[in-house]
Amino acid sequence: MLLTTHPPEPHAKPRFDDIFMELAVNLAKRSHCIKAQVGAVLTRDTRIISIGYNGPPPGTHNCDEEFPGVGCPRDSKGSCSLALHAEENAILYAAKNGSEIEGATIYVTLSPCIACARTIYSMKIARVIYLHSYAEYKGIPSDEGVDFLRRFGVTVDRYEPGTGVTLLAEPPLSGPVTDQKTARTPERDSSIG
């Protein structure tokens, strides 16, 4: 949810970065994953091309219903074995519907893993804006996906709320949230891992 910290200037309009990241945060809440909820918004210019959140392919099952309390089976790396990532869902839906993806921007609540980064690069998405760090979430030394994308010329930025705006966002991990943190609060990121 976006909050303003002071009354907006007359006729002030929110930035599209704030609007699209707020939508990604809300989409993450649609995820049936009991381990992490991630949302993504794929845009071109000021228009939404597609949206996505993490979970199994449509029409298969919902992890929180079929595997309550434990989640779906894990692969050899400890990741969900049945789920598509939010970026994958947004990109696949856009491609399925014939949307022009090249040059697009994707807003995602968790920075891309290396597999999603390869897909983003292959689809010629020009810009990635993320809220939380995948490396911090997974407890690994670097954001491999971010490093890969930057190495090959994709613009990748960590989301920063606009002036006077606070984005209330839960970390990507599910479970009871005892304290809402803002996107500008550094200690929020350390609670992810």
PDB file of all heavy atoms in Angstrom, residues 109-130:
ATOM      1  N   THR A 109       8.773  -7.991  -6.883  1.00  0.00           N
ATOM      2  CA  THR A 109       8.975  -7.788  -5.451  1.00  0.00           C
ATOM      3  C   THR A 109      10.206  -8.513  -4.922  1.00  0.00           C
ATOM      4  O   THR A 109      10.637  -8.246  -3.806  1.00  0.00           O
ATOM      5  CB  THR A 109       7.731  -8.215  -4.643  1.00  0.00           C
ATOM      6  OG1 THR A 109       7.445  -9.586  -4.890  1.00  0.00           O
ATOM      7  CG2 THR A 109       6.532  -7.350  -5.017  1.00  0.00           C
ATOM      8  N   LEU A 110      10.785  -9.414  -5.702  1.00  0.00           N
ATOM      9  CA  LEU A 110      12.019 -10.116  -5.332  1.00  0.00           C
ATOM     10  C   LEU A 110      12.919 -10.119  -6.554  1.00  0.00           C
ATOM     11  O   LEU A 110      12.478 -10.505  -7.643  1.00  0.00           O
ATOM     12  CB  LEU A 110      11.694 -11.554  -4.889  1.00  0.00           C
ATOM     13  CG  LEU A 110      12.817 -12.373  -4.274  1.00  0.00           C
ATOM     14  CD1 LEU A 110      13.345 -11.733  -2.982  1.00  0.00           C
ATOM     15  CD2 LEU A 110      12.339 -13.794  -3.984  1.00  0.00           C
ATOM     16  N   SER A 111      14.173  -9.688  -6.411  1.00  0.00           N
ATOM     17  CA  SER A 111      15.059  -9.616  -7.571  1.00  0.00           C
ATOM     18  C   SER A 111      15.146 -10.972  -8.260  1.00  0.00           C
ATOM     19  O   SER A 111      15.038 -12.012  -7.625  1.00  0.00           O
ATOM     20  CB  SER A 111      16.448  -9.109  -7.164  1.00  0.00           C
ATOM     21  OG  SER A 111      17.073  -9.982  -6.248  1.00  0.00           O
ATOM     22  N   PRO A 112      15.331 -10.979  -9.570  1.00  0.00           N
ATOM     23  CA  PRO A 112      15.290 -12.227 -10.334  1.00  0.00           C
ATOM     24  C   PRO A 112      16.395 -13.210  -9.940  1.00  0.00           C
ATOM     25  O   PRO A 112      17.539 -12.817  -9.724  1.00  0.00           O
ATOM     26  CB  PRO A 112      15.478 -11.781 -11.783  1.00  0.00           C
ATOM     27  CG  PRO A 112      15.140 -10.335 -11.799  1.00  0.00           C
ATOM     28  CD  PRO A 112      15.482  -9.807 -10.443  1.00  0.00           C
ATOM     29  N   CYS A 113      16.026 -14.487  -9.880  1.00  0.00           N
ATOM     30  CA  CYS A 113      17.026 -15.546  -9.736  1.00  0.00           C
ATOM     31  C   CYS A 113      17.762 -15.647 -11.069  1.00  0.00           C
ATOM     32  O   CYS A 113      17.371 -15.023 -12.061  1.00  0.00           O
ATOM     33  CB  CYS A 113      16.347 -16.872  -9.378  1.00  0.00           C
ATOM     34  SG  CYS A 113      15.330 -17.562 -10.705  1.00  0.00           S
ATOM     35  N   ILE A 114      18.796 -16.449 -11.125  1.00  0.00           N
ATOM     36  CA  ILE A 114      19.589 -16.557 -12.355  1.00  0.00           C
ATOM     37  C   ILE A 114      18.759 -17.128 -13.509  1.00  0.00           C
ATOM     38  O   ILE A 114      18.883 -16.678 -14.647  1.00  0.00           O
ATOM     39  CB  ILE A 114      20.902 -17.361 -12.120  1.00  0.00           C
ATOM     40  CG1 ILE A 114      21.827 -17.272 -13.345  1.00  0.00           C
ATOM     41  CG2 ILE A 114      20.614 -18.791 -11.741  1.00  0.00           C
ATOM     42  CD1 ILE A 114      22.405 -15.911 -13.606  1.00  0.00           C
ATOM     43  N   ALA A 115      17.883 -18.085 -13.236  1.00  0.00           N
ATOM     44  CA  ALA A 115      17.056 -18.653 -14.308  1.00  0.00           C
ATOM     45  C   ALA A 115      16.097 -17.602 -14.873  1.00  0.00           C
ATOM     46  O   ALA A 115      15.952 -17.486 -16.102  1.00  0.00           O
ATOM     47  CB  ALA A 115      16.286 -19.864 -13.793  1.00  0.00           C
ATOM     48  N   CYS A 116      15.453 -16.830 -14.006  1.00  0.00           N
ATOM     49  CA  CYS A 116      14.558 -15.771 -14.477  1.00  0.00           C
ATOM     50  C   CYS A 116      15.344 -14.679 -15.198  1.00  0.00           C
ATOM     51  O   CYS A 116      14.868 -14.107 -16.176  1.00  0.00           O
ATOM     52  CB  CYS A 116      13.749 -15.192 -13.328  1.00  0.00           C
ATOM     53  SG  CYS A 116      12.445 -16.296 -12.753  1.00  0.00           S
ATOM     54  N   ALA A 117      16.551 -14.401 -14.724  1.00  0.00           N
ATOM     55  CA  ALA A 117      17.396 -13.400 -15.381  1.00  0.00           C
ATOM     56  C   ALA A 117      17.700 -13.813 -16.821  1.00  0.00           C
ATOM     57  O   ALA A 117      17.660 -12.987 -17.734  1.00  0.00           O
ATOM     58  CB  ALA A 117      18.688 -13.196 -14.595  1.00  0.00           C
ATOM     59  N   ARG A 118      17.988 -15.093 -17.032  1.00  0.00           N
ATOM     60  CA  ARG A 118      18.246 -15.569 -18.399  1.00  0.00           C
ATOM     61  C   ARG A 118      17.009 -15.395 -19.275  1.00  0.00           C
ATOM     62  O   ARG A 118      17.116 -15.011 -20.446  1.00  0.00           O
ATOM     63  CB  ARG A 118      18.710 -17.017 -18.375  1.00  0.00           C
ATOM     64  CG  ARG A 118      20.108 -17.185 -17.804  1.00  0.00           C
ATOM     65  CD  ARG A 118      20.651 -18.593 -17.996  1.00  0.00           C
ATOM     66  NE  ARG A 118      19.899 -19.593 -17.253  1.00  0.00           N
ATOM     67  CZ  ARG A 118      20.305 -20.165 -16.130  1.00  0.00           C
ATOM     68  NH1 ARG A 118      21.473 -19.826 -15.593  1.00  0.00           N
ATOM     69  NH2 ARG A 118      19.565 -21.078 -15.536  1.00  0.00           N
ATOM     70  N   THR A 119      15.834 -15.669 -18.720  1.00  0.00           N
ATOM     71  CA  THR A 119      14.592 -15.486 -19.480  1.00  0.00           C
ATOM     72  C   THR A 119      14.364 -14.012 -19.783  1.00  0.00           C
ATOM     73  O   THR A 119      14.014 -13.651 -20.910  1.00  0.00           O
ATOM     74  CB  THR A 119      13.395 -16.074 -18.694  1.00  0.00           C
ATOM     75  OG1 THR A 119      13.626 -17.467 -18.474  1.00  0.00           O
ATOM     76  CG2 THR A 119      12.087 -15.868 -19.436  1.00  0.00           C
ATOM     77  N   ILE A 120      14.544 -13.162 -18.789  1.00  0.00           N
ATOM     78  CA  ILE A 120      14.378 -11.712 -18.978  1.00  0.00           C
ATOM     79  C   ILE A 120      15.306 -11.216 -20.087  1.00  0.00           C
ATOM     80  O   ILE A 120      14.891 -10.471 -20.976  1.00  0.00           O
ATOM     81  CB  ILE A 120      14.629 -10.970 -17.649  1.00  0.00           C
ATOM     82  CG1 ILE A 120      13.466 -11.228 -16.685  1.00  0.00           C
ATOM     83  CG2 ILE A 120      14.851  -9.478 -17.858  1.00  0.00           C
ATOM     84  CD1 ILE A 120      13.744 -10.821 -15.239  1.00  0.00           C
ATOM     85  N   TYR A 121      16.555 -11.641 -20.032  1.00  0.00           N
ATOM     86  CA  TYR A 121      17.520 -11.224 -21.059  1.00  0.00           C
ATOM     87  C   TYR A 121      17.119 -11.759 -22.438  1.00  0.00           C
ATOM     88  O   TYR A 121      17.137 -11.024 -23.425  1.00  0.00           O
ATOM     89  CB  TYR A 121      18.927 -11.708 -20.684  1.00  0.00           C
ATOM     90  CG  TYR A 121      19.930 -11.367 -21.748  1.00  0.00           C
ATOM     91  CD1 TYR A 121      20.419 -10.066 -21.870  1.00  0.00           C
ATOM     92  CD2 TYR A 121      20.361 -12.326 -22.660  1.00  0.00           C
ATOM     93  CE1 TYR A 121      21.327  -9.735 -22.874  1.00  0.00           C
ATOM     94  CE2 TYR A 121      21.266 -12.005 -23.658  1.00  0.00           C
ATOM     95  CZ  TYR A 121      21.739 -10.710 -23.762  1.00  0.00           C
ATOM     96  OH  TYR A 121      22.620 -10.387 -24.761  1.00  0.00           O
ATOM     97  N   SER A 122      16.737 -13.024 -22.491  1.00  0.00           N
ATOM     98  CA  SER A 122      16.369 -13.645 -23.772  1.00  0.00           C
ATOM     99  C   SER A 122      15.153 -12.979 -24.403  1.00  0.00           C
ATOM    100  O   SER A 122      15.047 -12.908 -25.630  1.00  0.00           O
ATOM    101  CB  SER A 122      16.081 -15.134 -23.580  1.00  0.00           C
ATOM    102  OG  SER A 122      17.247 -15.803 -23.160  1.00  0.00           O
ATOM    103  N   MET A 123      14.242 -12.488 -23.582  1.00  0.00           N
ATOM    104  CA  MET A 123      13.037 -11.817 -24.087  1.00  0.00           C
ATOM    105  C   MET A 123      13.288 -10.331 -24.371  1.00  0.00           C
ATOM    106  O   MET A 123      12.377  -9.610 -24.745  1.00  0.00           O
ATOM    107  CB  MET A 123      11.884 -11.974 -23.093  1.00  0.00           C
ATOM    108  CG  MET A 123      11.445 -13.421 -22.895  1.00  0.00           C
ATOM    109  SD  MET A 123      10.968 -14.266 -24.422  1.00  0.00           S
ATOM    110  CE  MET A 123       9.450 -13.425 -24.811  1.00  0.00           C
ATOM    111  N   LYS A 124      14.529  -9.899 -24.163  1.00  0.00           N
ATOM    112  CA  LYS A 124      14.962  -8.524 -24.456  1.00  0.00           C
ATOM    113  C   LYS A 124      14.209  -7.469 -23.646  1.00  0.00           C
ATOM    114  O   LYS A 124      13.922  -6.380 -24.117  1.00  0.00           O
ATOM    115  CB  LYS A 124      14.891  -8.243 -25.946  1.00  0.00           C
ATOM    116  CG  LYS A 124      15.795  -9.154 -26.743  1.00  0.00           C
ATOM    117  CD  LYS A 124      15.795  -8.841 -28.204  1.00  0.00           C
ATOM    118  CE  LYS A 124      16.739  -9.825 -28.895  1.00  0.00           C
ATOM    119  NZ  LYS A 124      16.817  -9.610 -30.303  1.00  0.00           N
ATOM    120  N   ILE A 125      13.896  -7.824 -22.396  1.00  0.00           N
ATOM    121  CA  ILE A 125      13.333  -6.842 -21.467  1.00  0.00           C
ATOM    122  C   ILE A 125      14.456  -5.872 -21.115  1.00  0.00           C
ATOM    123  O   ILE A 125      15.581  -6.287 -20.829  1.00  0.00           O
ATOM    124  CB  ILE A 125      12.745  -7.548 -20.227  1.00  0.00           C
ATOM    125  CG1 ILE A 125      11.514  -8.351 -20.655  1.00  0.00           C
ATOM    126  CG2 ILE A 125      12.414  -6.555 -19.124  1.00  0.00           C
ATOM    127  CD1 ILE A 125      10.930  -9.260 -19.599  1.00  0.00           C
ATOM    128  N   ALA A 126      14.176  -4.584 -21.173  1.00  0.00           N
ATOM    129  CA  ALA A 126      15.223  -3.566 -21.045  1.00  0.00           C
ATOM    130  C   ALA A 126      15.517  -3.142 -19.620  1.00  0.00           C
ATOM    131  O   ALA A 126      16.628  -2.698 -19.323  1.00  0.00           O
ATOM    132  CB  ALA A 126      14.834  -2.326 -21.866  1.00  0.00           C
ATOM    133  N   ARG A 127      14.529  -3.262 -18.738  1.00  0.00           N
ATOM    134  CA  ARG A 127      14.705  -2.707 -17.390  1.00  0.00           C
ATOM    135  C   ARG A 127      14.018  -3.594 -16.361  1.00  0.00           C
ATOM    136  O   ARG A 127      12.910  -4.079 -16.597  1.00  0.00           O
ATOM    137  CB  ARG A 127      14.100  -1.309 -17.354  1.00  0.00           C
ATOM    138  CG  ARG A 127      14.280  -0.543 -16.077  1.00  0.00           C
ATOM    139  CD  ARG A 127      13.764   0.896 -16.249  1.00  0.00           C
ATOM    140  NE  ARG A 127      13.822   1.624 -14.994  1.00  0.00           N
ATOM    141  CZ  ARG A 127      12.850   2.376 -14.520  1.00  0.00           C
ATOM    142  NH1 ARG A 127      11.735   2.524 -15.196  1.00  0.00           N
ATOM    143  NH2 ARG A 127      12.991   2.998 -13.371  1.00  0.00           N
ATOM    144  N   VAL A 128      14.675  -3.780 -15.215  1.00  0.00           N
ATOM    145  CA  VAL A 128      14.125  -4.536 -14.095  1.00  0.00           C
ATOM    146  C   VAL A 128      14.186  -3.643 -12.863  1.00  0.00           C
ATOM    147  O   VAL A 128      15.232  -3.057 -12.566  1.00  0.00           O
ATOM    148  CB  VAL A 128      14.936  -5.825 -13.829  1.00  0.00           C
ATOM    149  CG1 VAL A 128      14.419  -6.544 -12.590  1.00  0.00           C
ATOM    150  CG2 VAL A 128      14.923  -6.739 -15.048  1.00  0.00           C
ATOM    151  N   ILE A 129      13.071  -3.541 -12.157  1.00  0.00           N
ATOM    152  CA  ILE A 129      13.034  -2.817 -10.886  1.00  0.00           C
ATOM    153  C   ILE A 129      12.546  -3.811  -9.836  1.00  0.00           C
ATOM    154  O   ILE A 129      11.493  -4.421 -10.004  1.00  0.00           O
ATOM    155  CB  ILE A 129      12.110  -1.591 -10.959  1.00  0.00           C
ATOM    156  CG1 ILE A 129      12.617  -0.635 -12.035  1.00  0.00           C
ATOM    157  CG2 ILE A 129      12.027  -0.897  -9.597  1.00  0.00           C
ATOM    158  CD1 ILE A 129      11.737   0.557 -12.267  1.00  0.00           C
ATOM    159  N   TYR A 130      13.337  -3.985  -8.769  1.00  0.00           N
ATOM    160  CA  TYR A 130      12.981  -4.966  -7.745  1.00  0.00           C
ATOM    161  C   TYR A 130      12.908  -4.312  -6.373  1.00  0.00           C
ATOM    162  O   TYR A 130      13.520  -3.288  -6.127  1.00  0.00           O
ATOM    163  CB  TYR A 130      13.966  -6.139  -7.739  1.00  0.00           C
ATOM    164  CG  TYR A 130      15.351  -5.804  -7.250  1.00  0.00           C
ATOM    165  CD1 TYR A 130      15.694  -5.960  -5.908  1.00  0.00           C
ATOM    166  CD2 TYR A 130      16.331  -5.330  -8.122  1.00  0.00           C
ATOM    167  CE1 TYR A 130      16.966  -5.649  -5.447  1.00  0.00           C
ATOM    168  CE2 TYR A 130      17.603  -5.020  -7.674  1.00  0.00           C
ATOM    169  CZ  TYR A 130      17.916  -5.186  -6.339  1.00  0.00           C
ATOM    170  OH  TYR A 130      19.176  -4.876  -5.880  1.00  0.00           O
TER     171      TYR A 130
END
